[in-house]
Amino acid sequence: YEKMGRVKQLKPFVKVYVGLILAFFVSMALVFCIPDSWIQDNVNSSIEIMDGEGSYPMYFFYRHNSIMDVHTEGVMYNGLIPNRDYNPIQASVSINQYPRYWHGYMLYLRPLSVLFQITEIRYLGMLAFQILLFWSAWMIAKKTRPAYAVLYVLSIATGNAALSSVCLQFLSTFLVLFVSIGVLMSRYEKLRTKELGFFLFFFVVGMIENFFDFLTYPIITLGIPLILLLWMRVRDEKADLKDNLLFTIWSSISWGVGYALTWIAKWGITTVVLGVRYFIRNLSVIEYRLNGSEEEPLDRIGTLQKNLKAWLNIRDNGMISWSKVVIVIAVIALILLIWKKAKDMKTILAYLPMLLVAAYPYIWYLVMSNHSQIHYWYTYRNQVLTLFAGLIFLASILKSKNE
């Protein structure tokens, strides 16, 4: 009976998984039914604009955290028009011999390219970013506390929001995050009443993130909603340390399984549609990403330092060092704790799993070390989660005026 019960619990996950993979596959094939001639002119003028900008232009602060990834935008645009005589299904799976990702951004990039070139699409992306950021912040303010919405916007801003909103490569993960938070906050009561409702939510978010993303900073789509839920569970269900720790583990597993299975499904589809050689090529890329190579050996500690420096906008041998920043933050936290006083130990322990979630970006950097050391100039944005988790933890354990 127990086994039967467990199988029943998995049923909604299987249904959602099959349904979403089908939706991803069909929707990609459909956008590749748009005739190439409809988008050719806008694609050509967009590539011309990007050639003039250069592969990695540096804006605003002229530091590593301000690099615009025009190179990857070029890859996205070069995949818009198939370079082989493929049918829509083959073209949507291959994306010009770059099949290891789903390339879900094609769902908006191909239709929009009928009417617009890249500068106009970037502008639309910037509007979508800002509208959805403030909608998600408003939902957080409504469902938690207005102060937490301010801390959320502040955390997102440290990921160089001005640049993230106008680079198509950086945009997708933030849009997935904003919509996820909006949906989570608006359906919170409904998800609470459903068995495994929140775990199914994280499973779906993991799948959608893998569909749209190019391996930028996906962990924020797990961590930021999870931090909010950990706080809400203490408020609404009087969750203790054990409850929240288990909830953190199962939510993370749900997101991770959704993310990984969606990727595996793409490799399976690629093998069926294009042939087994693509699957073998994917395996060699995975090995390279996890273990590095002779030309680019792994330096895990160096990877952590690079990402920290990029996030904190620190120059080597400059006035500000990351250790000084950490000391300043620690002193401010200590002053707040002495001035406002902390809550009782049981409540503090209930919020403790937030600090585990705060460490997720660094766990990600250690596991995906090769990718994070090469692309630190955008993977540093994972750390907006660390800041948000730390700020919410501190705000949660301090006594309020009424306490």
Side-chain angles (χ1 to χ4, degrees), residues 1-16 194-197 200:
Y1 282 117
E2 216 174 286
K3 275 185 183 174
M4 285 287 286
R6 279 178 191 166
V7 170
K8 266 190 177 178
Q9 283 180 326
L10 285 175
K11 217 174 172 183
F13 288 85
V14 175
K15 273 185 180 175
V16 164
K194 282 185 181 175
E195 192 189 12
L196 304 177
L200 193 58

Side-chain angles (χ1 to χ4, degrees), residues 77-133:
Y77 265 85
N78 283 315
L80 280 168
I81 294 173
N83 60 9
R84 291 189 182 181
D85 190 19
Y86 278 156
N87 63 42
I89 289 173
Q90 291 169 319
S92 69
V93 172
S94 170
I95 313 289
N96 289 347
Q97 296 77 60
Y98 196 9
R100 68 174 175 271
Y101 295 107
W102 275 93
H103 301 271
Y105 57 84
M106 287 291 177
L107 292 196
Y108 63 81
L109 194 55
R110 243 182 163 256
L112 285 175
S113 294
V114 174
L115 298 170
F116 307 111
Q117 40 93 330
I118 187 165
T119 49
E120 295 156 335
I121 294 173
R122 282 175 183 163
Y123 188 80
L124 292 173
M126 179 190 71
L127 291 181
F129 182 100
Q130 291 170 352
I131 291 164
L132 291 172
L133 169 61

Side-chain angles (χ1 to χ4, degrees), residues 291-308:
N291 300 319
S293 66
E294 277 183 34
E295 296 80 40
E296 287 165 334
L298 288 188
D299 176 10
R300 289 192 160 87
I301 301 303
T303 300
L304 295 179
Q305 288 175 338
K306 276 181 167 184
N307 280 273
L308 267 166

